[in-house]
Amino acid sequence: MLADGSSRHLAGCWAFFIVHRTDPFKRDFRRSSLRKTQVKVPQATNRVPSLNALKAFESAARLGGIARAADELCVTESAVSRQIRSLEDDLGIVLFERIHRGVRLSREGQSLSATLSSAFELIRRGVDEARGPVGEIRFRTPPTFGTRWLLPRLHRFEAANTDITVRVSVLWACTLPVHADHDVAIVFSRRHWPEDDLIPLMAERLMPVCSPAFRDQFGPVESAADLARGLLLHCSGSKDWVWWSTQWNRGHLDCSRGEVFDTMDMALRAAESGRGIAIADVAMIADDLELGRLVPLVPFTSTGPDDLYLVRRDRDRPRQDIDRFVEWLMAEAGAAMATLPTGVKAIPAAVPA
């Protein structure tokens, strides 16, 4: 039997042994946990988020909605929403901001969307190159050029190039560099595109036209006052009429009056029906003039503000099928620009102030 003092001494030794045996493990565990946490911070910062989440966000941003993204990706809308929320949590930023009637991209969302569109386009090009010539060209065009100029001629290219399919999308929205849903596109606004990306296709040549019956009833036009007797038909504003009347220079024409249509094609349809006088690019109405559906009311053409340009996404790595299609487009455009309708004269070029 140990004395009380010895018992207390032995208990103290056991306590010392236990503490110093166990505490180092606890301290090492804590240090280990701390080290792991410290290592994970830069890894989490530099880690690329889920590709599925990135693609879901890119599709929703590019197409302008969750439902359209879900259709493109063949998943449910809730799946796309979950992926976008996951991406926002992962990045610690808000990609979509709620507004009165829906959502819009935040500033960070716009930046990420542009980067991802370019990145996924680069991936697509790499896959296309690995597969070899695809033989399908995605072509995006504004409505009037597509319906009045391209589609009536496209059968000639298809007959001579049976190994190539041209999938045409006729869209009103202006094609921007961030759009990745085309291989070749027609644009009429230069301000969004780098100069090196624009390939001149057709210079705009404007001329007032109407139906034959309207012209016969309207009588000769020698001045702006004569022209003012008719109803002017506008395409998205009056700038085309301003350009033409300024260069024609036969007096002041009030271009603010008349009726306004979303597209030139709609205004031309109204002119064909005898509604009034449309201002149109001569190349877009060549077939109508030849068939007599439209006639010049004033047989003078001016330059216009909206020349047409080609853009192609394969310029850095040209595809043979796209080369053939672009060469055909340039040849057809050159033929269309080579002549004017019989009896029509060009006004010497002068840009309105």
Side-chain angles (χ1 to χ4, degrees):
M1 180 69 67
L2 295 173
D4 290 343
S6 298
S7 298
R8 286 194 298 271
H9 177 74
L10 183 59
C13 289
W14 276 107
F16 177 87
F17 174 77
I18 293 171
V19 168
H20 283 265
R21 182 179 179 183
T22 57
D23 279 0
F25 287 98
K26 292 179 180 178
R27 289 196 299 271
D28 286 347
F29 176 77
R30 294 190 185 106
R31 291 194 192 105
S32 175
S33 299
L34 181 58
R35 283 196 298 270
K36 287 180 181 178
T37 301
Q38 291 172 336
V39 169
K40 282 183 177 180
V41 170
Q43 286 178 351
T45 302
N46 297 327
R47 179 179 59 82
V48 176
S50 161
L51 287 178
N52 287 337
L54 292 172
K55 183 57 183 171
F57 166 71
E58 188 273 339
S59 294
R62 170 170 47 84
L63 299 174
I66 299 296
R68 292 177 181 176
D71 288 341
E72 180 179 74
L73 300 174
C74 299
V75 297
T76 64
E77 293 181 30
S78 59
V80 174
S81 297
R82 283 196 302 271
Q83 292 284 9
I84 293 175
R85 284 197 300 271
S86 172
L87 182 61
E88 288 180 325
D89 292 340
D90 203 351
L91 298 177
I93 59 176
V94 174
L95 297 172
F96 285 97
E97 297 173 338
R98 292 194 175 277
I99 56 177
H100 178 58
R101 293 186 177 179
V103 295
R104 68 183 177 189
L105 285 171
S106 65
R107 184 178 62 182
E108 294 82 1
Q110 292 175 6
S111 176
L112 182 59
S113 172
T115 301
L116 290 178
S117 291
S118 299
F120 281 115
E121 175 62 13
L122 187 61
I123 292 172
R124 187 194 64 78
R125 290 183 196 173
V127 171
D128 286 348
E129 280 194 1
R131 287 174 176 166
V134 177
E136 179 178 279
I137 300 173
R138 301 171 303 160
F139 184 74
R140 179 168 172 158
T141 173
T144 301
F145 180 86
T147 57
R148 287 188 169 264
W149 193 89
L150 175 72
L151 294 180
R153 293 165 172 77
L154 187 57
H155 67 92
R156 297 202 283 264
F157 176 82
E158 293 170 334
N161 299 271
T162 56
D163 58 326
I164 298 175
T165 299
V166 180
R167 183 156 54 89
V168 180
S169 296
V170 179
L171 302 171
W172 170 239
C174 184
T175 302
L176 302 176
V178 296
H179 294 148
D181 59 348
H182 64 275
D183 301 305
V184 183
I186 299 294
V187 299
F188 53 84
S189 176
R190 302 176 58 173
R191 63 182 178 273
H192 300 296
W193 288 86
E195 195 70 25
D196 291 343
D197 287 353
L198 296 168
I199 305 170
L201 180 66
M202 301 175 75
E204 190 173 34
R205 298 175 297 174
L206 298 173
M207 181 175 68
V209 293
C210 59
S211 70
F214 185 96
R215 179 195 60 184
D216 295 343
Q217 184 178 6
F218 195 77
V221 176
E222 301 294 339
S223 66
D226 294 332
L227 196 57
R229 292 185 286 110
L231 179 67
L232 303 185
L233 306 178
H234 303 275
C235 167
S236 298
S238 60
K239 66 177 180 178
D240 287 349
W241 273 110
V242 171
W243 272 70
W244 180 86
S245 64
T246 302
Q247 294 178 61
W248 187 44
N249 196 26
R250 299 290 181 87
H252 173 71
L253 180 66
D254 182 5
C255 299
S256 63
R257 62 184 184 84
E259 297 177 346
V260 181
F261 299 83
D262 270 346
T263 67
M264 183 189 293
D265 184 66
M266 295 171 66
L268 291 172
R269 297 291 183 192
E272 288 175 15
S273 71
R275 178 66 180 167
I277 312 161
I279 188 85
D281 185 342
V282 171
M284 302 301 111
I285 56 172
D287 293 341
D288 302 280
L289 294 172
E290 185 176 347
L291 295 172
R293 290 192 294 257
L294 291 170
V295 293
L297 182 61
V298 184
F300 291 95
T301 66
S302 76
T303 61
D306 294 319
D307 293 345
L308 294 176
Y309 300 87
L310 272 174
V311 292
R312 51 188 294 181
R313 293 211 167 267
D314 68 326
R315 292 196 68 182
D316 294 334
R317 299 176 180 178
R319 281 170 41 186
Q320 291 183 358
D321 54 348
I322 293 180
D323 281 340
R324 285 156 59 186
F325 181 59
V326 169
E327 288 171 6
W328 174 82
L329 277 175
M330 299 297 289
E332 289 283 332
M337 293 293 298
T339 60
L340 283 171
T342 302
V344 174
K345 298 179 181 179
I347 301 170
V351 178

